[in-house]
Amino acid sequence: MTDDIWKRQEVESPCIRVCVVHPEARICVGCHRSVDEIAAWSRMTPEERRRIMAELPARAPLLRQRRGGRAARTRGA
């Protein structure tokens, strides 16, 4: 009997253990998945996981958008 039987070709989780949900974007600031995607990850097919993994880089800018800072505060003055 070999250990090859127990090896599975699964898509790894993008989790980096920085589990905080961004209040506006509603995605995890660590892995950029939605709460629903995180909860369903273990039940997803490899194809579903690959699709989500391909979308994650495009979500990163959602967390970097500035809310205005000083320029937004002084714009109305």
Side-chain angles (χ1 to χ4, degrees):
M1 187 160 94
T2 67
D3 289 334
D4 292 337
I5 295 171
W6 302 109
K7 292 182 181 176
R8 296 176 11 177
Q9 296 297 322
E10 292 192 12
V11 176
E12 294 292 325
S13 169
C15 181
I16 61 168
R17 292 178 175 78
V18 178
C19 305
V20 177
V21 176
H22 189 277
E24 293 173 11
R26 303 301 301 158
I27 59 176
C28 176
V29 299
C31 68
H32 303 143
R33 292 179 293 171
S34 71
V35 174
D36 292 336
E37 290 167 343
I38 294 167
W41 192 259
S42 64
R43 296 181 309 277
M44 288 181 180
T45 65
E47 293 77 23
E48 290 172 312
R49 290 180 181 187
R50 281 188 203 93
R51 179 187 54 78
I52 291 170
M53 293 290 283
E55 294 173 3
L56 297 180
R59 297 177 186 182
L62 298 174
L63 303 178
R64 291 190 213 122
Q65 289 179 347
R66 293 186 53 142
R67 293 184 289 192
R70 183 176 179 276
R73 289 192 304 271
T74 58
R75 195 175 299 139

